[in-house]
Amino acid sequence: MSLSDIPGAAPDPALDGTPAGNPNGHPDSNPDGHPAGSATAVALAEPERRVRPAWTAGVVLVNLGINAAFFGPIQVLLGQQAAAFSEGDKEAILALVTGAGAAVSLVANPLFGAFSDRTTSRLGRRVPWVLFGAVLGAAALIALAGAPNVAVMTLLWCLVQAGCNGAYAAITAAIPDRVPVPQRGAVGGLAAMGQTVGILIGAVIAAAVTGNFAAGYLVCALALLAGVVLYFFKNDDVPLPPQARPPFSVAGFAKSFWISPALYPDFAWAWLTRLLVNIGNHMVTLYLLFFLKDAVHLEETQGIAPEFGVLILTGLYAVMVIITSVIGGPLSDRMGRRKPLVIISSVIIAVASLILAFAPTWTGALIGASVLGIGFGCYLAVDFALITQVLPTALNRGKDLGVINIANSLPQVLAPLIAFPFVTLWGGYVSLYVAAAVIGLLGAVFVVKIKGVD
């Protein structure tokens, strides 16, 4: 797994500003300008052969393991550990730890994606980083169980984030590496299903250990390691020849993370639409506990504790995400079109927000959560397939998808900043959910700007 400079390596089109396509104008070149039939062409060619069910199952399990390792701690275990350090300061400790981890995830995903792009291991470009990320994340989770203080807890959670994001960056890039466009919606939908099932499994792990966060971390670590086993044996990863890797310089490597909207407008619009839809989705879910308590008055009207109400709504939402992600992806493959389904799913997400805004009842919340899951599941599958079709170059898929994934992580920071004044100053939950609907609808509008995909 070498990342160092190789003398005589071919230049990277993304570093010198050359748009994707056939830069040499040679009829026997692949889209990145390498001679057809060369080892480089095999590694970077647009895939044409449909992937096997075992390969897809491996990708799904990696996504499942990563999300179980993420969300078991985030939902419960980190909070329990924070309370064990200081009951009175648990909120501040949890905010510190999760905030630091979120900051690491913003950097780690594109960084490890770029590392995997440059890797010339005999195992391929993606497999070494899936394994390295899983091992690093699992080791940090196990160590987290014995963290002696808040500083060490924070450091170890950042390592968990780095490892899991490294594995996620690599497994995400493996899909456009190996999956042909007509199958990409189906595989993207199954990967989204794996992510959602992983979140549910993380919650089950946290609930099953009944307050023993050390045992919970161990089970999450085992889930993460187990998730990569099938992919390791069924990966079909094609090694990148050393001569295909561009020369390395710190300045050029740093510059490569800026993807010019002028040169790649479709990529820029895809990034912006994902950012907006995710901000709207996070605004809907952020204050759900307080919405059930203060607007729905769930305990007074239904005799249900708000915390249990959140669990019910989350489960309902997750079930709908699983169903529609599995349906929506293959549907877009059969249609041969992505944008109409992305637009429709974005509109459905906005409708869910409006239901919560104007029907602040338990029935309204149940319907709203169901509609939100229907829209977001389809969106996850189809938008991912769309994004893989607007990546600038085959050589940099990992890095470019890592940049796209910033649009998944950044809303976790932006949504609270946007939502807080709506709840406290500008009309409460009605204005919050209307604003979330408007932001999500902007995402639907900007999808129209993408010209390279139908």
Side-chain angles (χ1 to χ4, degrees):
M1 187 164 57
S2 171
L3 294 169
S4 60
D5 182 21
I6 298 295
D12 181 0
L15 297 184
D16 65 13
T18 304
N22 189 340
N24 297 332
H26 196 287
D28 295 321
S29 296
N30 77 349
D32 285 86
H34 301 288
S38 70
T40 298
V42 173
L44 301 179
E46 186 68 25
E48 296 180 356
R49 188 178 65 182
R50 293 176 68 86
V51 292
R52 299 168 297 162
W55 185 91
T56 303
V59 171
V60 171
L61 289 174
V62 173
N63 277 280
L64 189 153
I66 290 170
N67 282 274
F70 263 143
F71 287 96
I74 287 174
Q75 290 173 324
V76 176
L77 302 177
L78 290 172
Q80 291 177 343
Q81 189 169 19
F85 281 123
S86 175
E87 180 67 31
D89 297 322
K90 60 186 178 183
E91 293 87 357
I93 294 171
L94 184 60
L96 170 66
V97 173
T98 56
V104 168
S105 73
L106 285 174
V107 176
N109 206 296
L111 185 64
F112 281 105
F115 287 165
S116 73
D117 288 333
R118 297 182 57 84
T119 296
T120 56
S121 164
R122 287 179 296 176
L123 292 174
R125 290 197 287 171
R126 313 305 178 188
V127 174
W129 293 100
V130 171
L131 294 178
F132 171 76
V135 171
L136 175 61
L141 280 167
I142 293 169
L144 194 57
N149 53 52
V150 174
V152 175
M153 177 186 176
T154 304
L155 174 62
L156 289 171
W157 179 244
C158 287
L159 289 176
V160 173
Q161 286 274 10
C164 287
N165 273 280
Y168 182 68
I171 199 65
T172 302
I175 295 177
D177 281 351
R178 307 304 308 150
V179 181
V181 168
Q183 194 186 7
R184 214 166 276 176
V187 174
L190 290 170
M193 179 200 71
Q195 294 169 17
T196 307
V197 173
I199 293 171
L200 291 177
I201 289 177
V204 169
I205 291 171
V209 298
T210 60
N212 186 345
F213 61 81
Y217 287 137
L218 176 60
V219 176
C220 287
L222 292 174
L224 178 57
L225 292 174
V228 306
V229 173
L230 180 60
Y231 180 73
F232 177 75
F233 290 106
K234 299 291 183 179
N235 60 80
D236 292 336
D237 206 347
V238 178
L240 180 73
Q243 67 271 17
R245 184 174 53 193
F248 179 81
S249 71
V250 174
F253 185 72
K255 180 184 174 183
S256 72
F257 290 94
W258 169 250
I259 301 171
S260 170
L263 289 176
Y264 305 107
D266 282 356
F267 182 90
W269 287 118
W271 189 92
L272 180 60
T273 58
R274 175 161 283 210
L275 178 74
L276 292 171
V277 171
N278 275 293
I279 287 175
N281 190 60
H282 280 289
M283 287 173 66
V284 170
T285 59
L286 180 64
Y287 289 118
L288 194 56
L289 176 64
F290 301 147
F291 172 72
L292 294 179
K293 182 182 295 184
D294 301 330
V296 176
H297 305 291
L298 186 60
E299 191 148 20
E300 294 91 329
T301 59
Q302 304 294 326
I304 301 173
E307 293 80 3
F308 188 60
V310 171
L311 180 60
I312 293 172
L313 296 180
T314 302
L316 187 59
Y317 164 84
V319 168
M320 294 302 176
V321 167
I322 291 169
I323 293 171
T324 56
S325 63
V326 174
I327 294 173
L331 179 60
S332 73
D333 288 339
R334 288 195 294 270
M335 292 171 57
R337 303 182 70 191
R338 312 291 189 194
K339 288 197 295 187
L341 287 177
V342 171
I343 293 169
I344 290 170
S345 59
S346 300
V347 171
I348 292 172
I349 293 170
V351 169
S353 301
L354 295 176
I355 290 172
L356 294 176
F358 297 109
T361 64
W362 180 232
T363 300
L366 291 170
I367 295 172
S370 301
V371 173
L372 184 65
I374 290 170
F376 203 63
C378 182
Y379 178 84
L380 285 174
V382 182
D383 187 64
F384 175 78
L386 183 152
I387 284 169
T388 64
Q389 293 177 241
V390 299
L391 298 177
T393 65
L395 185 61
N396 294 307
R397 286 175 179 139
K399 182 262 296 178
D400 295 340
L401 282 169
V403 172
I404 285 288
N405 283 328
I406 293 175
N408 296 333
S409 302
L410 192 57
Q412 299 175 36
V413 178
L414 297 179
L417 299 177
I418 298 170
F420 179 76
F422 280 102
V423 173
T424 58
L425 301 174
W426 301 335
Y429 291 104
V430 173
S431 64
L432 171 68
Y433 292 136
V434 169
V438 171
I439 291 172
L441 286 174
L442 285 175
V445 169
F446 291 141
V447 168
V448 178
K449 297 283 190 178
I450 297 172
K451 304 300 183 185
V453 180
D454 291 330

